[in-house]
Amino acid sequence: MAPRSLLDKVWDTHTVRELPSGQTQLFIGLHLIHEVTSPQGFQMLDDAGLRVLVPERTFATVDHIVPTDGRARPLRDAQAEEMLQAIEANTARHEIPFFRIGSGDQGIVHVIGPELGLTQPGLTIACGDSHTSTHGAFGAIAFGIGTSQVRDVLASQCLALARPKVRRIRVGGTLGFGVYAKDVILHIIRRLGVKGGVGYAYEYAGPAVERMSMEERMTLCNMSIEGGARVGYANPDETTFDYLRGRRFAPQGDSFERAVAWWRSMASDRDARFDDEVELAGAEVAPTVTWGTNPGQAIAVREKLPRLDELPEDDRAAAEDAYRFMELVPGRPIEGTPIQVAFIGSCTNGRLSDLREAARVARKGKVAPGVRALVVPGSEQVRRAAEAEGLDEVFKQAGFQWREAGCSMCLAMNPDKLVGRELCASSSNRNFKGRQGSPTGRTLLMSPAMVAAAALRGRVADVRELL
Ligand code: SF4
């Protein structure tokens, strides 16, 4: 057989049949659901008089709407309480496992899937959420779906999809001091554009990716969608298998060793051909910060904001609009820009290793006066593990608020919101206008360590100075 990429192997394995439309009827190995996009799916299922076909392949959590400063029921926000009750009722009625608040396993859907061992190499994974690409870190083909597709998966465990092309992005060499996976993905999106990945799956490869931990690979894959690629993945290797060994839903004992052999076989063949290839050197990536209103509008922290005539002509109108909204001036440095809020969390950077790196910085001082700084663990498991290491105390002593697990200010569907024109240094993944709860609020995306540095200095700072 001709050499194949991981995408081709996973796709072929899950193909039920080719459809007359040219799409594939694809079996979905794992369906993850949350409270925001599942109610409509269940409603459509009920309207059609159908049941969930394979409930044991569906798992539910609650993440977007949960308050992070207390969890008393009913939730203060009546609409949030209604959404919580809907997912409780739907999962109970259809016998779907639900990781409820206080269960010890609740958290952001893209954090709990991996930590429970549900996310495994060689699977197709769907979730009504754009950042489902996160799970590709394990060598799964994982993608976000719309609400009618949530219905389709509930009803049939299948989707009709077009096979994407594959672009391999090789990151060579090593990453510099103070440079994280977040900087790598912001750098990639800056270089290839926010639409550069449309129609592609991104395969991340090369020595710098192979050296990354699973949590770093998740950060990398998570933001593929911000570069237009619905799918992003890394090939499974020893790091992947070590991460999965012993996790609750991973195969156990002899089954695990058999699974490893199969997982290994799903990696892209050495001489696989790709539709496109991009090379970049790890050493060229610096701590990176966004300055605009999409994640591709980013620069290294020591660079000056690009002048309009330095940008490709097609990008100038959007840049001009972004500068107006952000109240930033072309040609000036981004370093030193005052912030009012610092947010550490989200499915991009709310895992234990993210909190450890941010805590390393937090140990160096106190949150600057006038800055509201929040640390929101990605899951109850992350929160417990961080507390066992004393990270909560490090943050609290430095003046950060230590919160309960959830999406929080990434999307601000809960009470954690920017107010007015506040400028937020954020470890999340989207800097769109109004993303963090205030229509006029502003977001600068960066690594969690950079957010901690900004919190301490009260302005955008180069984390390398603090480490
Ligand atoms: S953390 Fe943000 S991007 Fe991730 S699932 Fe929650 S709202 Fe979506």
Side-chain angles (χ1 to χ4, degrees):
M1 187 179 271
R4 290 182 299 162
S5 66
L6 179 141
L7 182 124
D8 284 337
K9 293 181 189 184
V10 176
W11 199 274
D12 293 344
T13 305
H14 290 80
T15 294
V16 178
R17 63 188 170 127
E18 301 300 339
L19 300 169
S21 63
Q23 292 176 303
T24 306
Q25 183 184 352
L26 200 68
F27 182 78
I28 301 303
L30 173 66
H31 187 201
L32 299 168
I33 60 174
H34 61 65
E35 77 283 12
V36 179
T37 50
S38 66
Q40 305 89 326
F42 282 111
Q43 187 61 53
M44 288 188 266
L45 200 70
D46 288 346
D47 293 347
L50 297 169
R51 299 277 307 161
V52 177
L53 186 68
V54 194
E56 62 272 25
R57 286 189 179 271
T58 304
F59 294 84
T61 187
V62 55
D63 48 12
H64 288 63
I65 52 101
V66 291
T68 61
D69 58 352
R71 315 197 127 193
R73 296 286 298 273
L75 302 180
R76 284 174 311 224
D77 177 342
Q79 202 185 352
E81 175 62 30
E82 203 179 305
M83 288 164 98
L84 185 47
Q85 286 182 17
I87 196 160
E88 285 171 338
N90 285 326
T91 52
R93 198 155 46 88
H94 291 279
E95 297 175 12
I96 291 169
F98 176 45
F99 304 111
R100 61 186 65 244
I101 293 172
S103 63
D105 293 320
Q106 173 266 339
I108 305 172
V109 66
H110 311 310
V111 176
I112 67 155
E115 72 188 8
L116 290 167
L118 290 165
T119 302
Q120 296 171 18
L123 278 180
T124 47
I125 302 178
C127 173
D129 195 281
S130 323
H131 295 89
T132 307
S133 55
T134 312
H135 306 262
F138 291 79
I141 297 304
F143 41 82
I145 55 177
T147 47
S148 57
Q149 291 175 307
V150 171
R151 171 206 59 195
D152 294 347
V153 182
L154 291 172
S156 69
Q157 205 60 33
C158 289
L159 283 171
L161 291 170
R163 183 190 299 235
K165 294 185 282 185
V166 184
R167 172 178 291 140
R168 182 167 65 172
I169 302 175
R170 280 180 54 83
V171 188
T174 49
L175 301 182
F177 172 68
V179 176
Y180 299 91
K182 180 62 159 288
D183 302 302
V184 175
I185 190 62
L186 286 173
H187 184 84
I188 289 171
I189 300 169
R190 173 190 183 183
R191 186 160 144 191
L192 301 180
V194 290
K195 295 192 182 134
V198 173
Y200 283 95
Y202 280 175
E203 173 174 316
Y204 300 104
V209 175
E210 286 160 17
R211 266 193 296 275
M212 284 183 185
S213 68
M214 288 315 298
E215 299 199 347
E216 291 172 297
R217 293 180 195 178
M218 284 187 244
T219 300
L220 197 60
C221 293
N222 171 277
M223 287 190 70
S224 305
I225 186 66
E226 304 309 326
R230 201 169 166 195
V231 168
Y233 68 86
N235 283 302
D237 60 9
E238 296 309 318
T239 306
T240 319
F241 311 144
D242 288 346
Y243 178 97
L244 284 169
R245 193 170 279 110
R247 300 215 174 237
R248 192 184 322 161
F249 289 92
Q252 308 290 325
D254 290 348
S255 308
F256 186 82
E257 299 314 320
R258 279 198 299 280
V260 166
W262 186 72
W263 293 339
R264 217 187 286 283
S265 76
M266 297 305 280
S268 290
D269 293 325
R270 190 181 294 274
D271 39 5
R273 302 276 284 274
F274 297 91
D275 299 288
D276 190 31
E277 299 214 42
V278 171
E279 293 267 342
L280 63 100
E284 78 189 56
V285 183
T288 300
V289 185
T290 61
W291 52 265
T293 50
N294 74 53
Q297 292 172 322
I299 52 172
V301 65
R302 287 279 161 88
E303 272 181 86
K304 295 212 165 83
L305 293 160
R307 294 182 199 283
L308 294 178
D309 60 7
E310 291 165 356
L311 293 168
E313 210 169 323
D314 285 353
D315 295 344
R316 287 180 199 164
E320 206 169 357
D321 180 65
Y323 278 132
R324 243 192 327 270
F325 182 80
M326 297 298 291
E327 293 179 11
L328 293 173
V329 181
R332 296 255 181 90
I334 188 88
E335 201 179 2
T337 304
I339 62 148
Q340 293 79 46
V341 180
F343 170 64
I344 296 170
S346 85
C347 60
T348 312
N349 281 128
R351 299 184 177 81
L352 185 60
S353 57
D354 300 313
L355 304 192
R356 282 183 184 146
E357 286 304 305
R360 273 176 72 198
V361 179
R363 283 192 179 92
K364 310 280 180 185
K366 298 268 182 225
V367 170
V371 173
R372 180 161 59 106
L374 275 71
V375 183
V376 184
S379 69
E380 292 181 352
Q381 279 201 30
V382 170
R383 189 171 194 269
R384 270 199 314 279
E387 288 179 352
E389 292 183 14
L391 301 185
D392 56 327
E393 287 306 320
V394 172
F395 285 120
K396 284 191 270 190
Q397 278 169 23
F400 289 81
Q401 299 174 34
W402 177 248
R403 296 294 190 90
E404 303 278 356
C407 294
S408 179
M409 208 184 265
C410 172
L411 182 61
M413 278 188 80
N414 76 341
D416 306 335
K417 298 181 195 305
L418 294 186
V419 178
R421 293 288 288 147
E422 281 180 331
L423 185 64
C424 177
S426 178
S427 72
S428 55
N429 45 54
R430 284 188 170 160
N431 52 348
F432 303 160
K433 292 177 184 173
R435 169 78 178 180
Q436 294 190 284
S438 160
T440 53
R442 298 165 295 158
T443 304
L444 303 175
L445 301 176
M446 58 189 81
S447 72
M450 283 281 286
V451 174
L456 265 50
R457 291 278 163 89
R459 52 191 162 75
V460 176
D462 188 338
V463 69
R464 293 171 295 195
E465 286 176 3
L466 279 116
L467 282 175

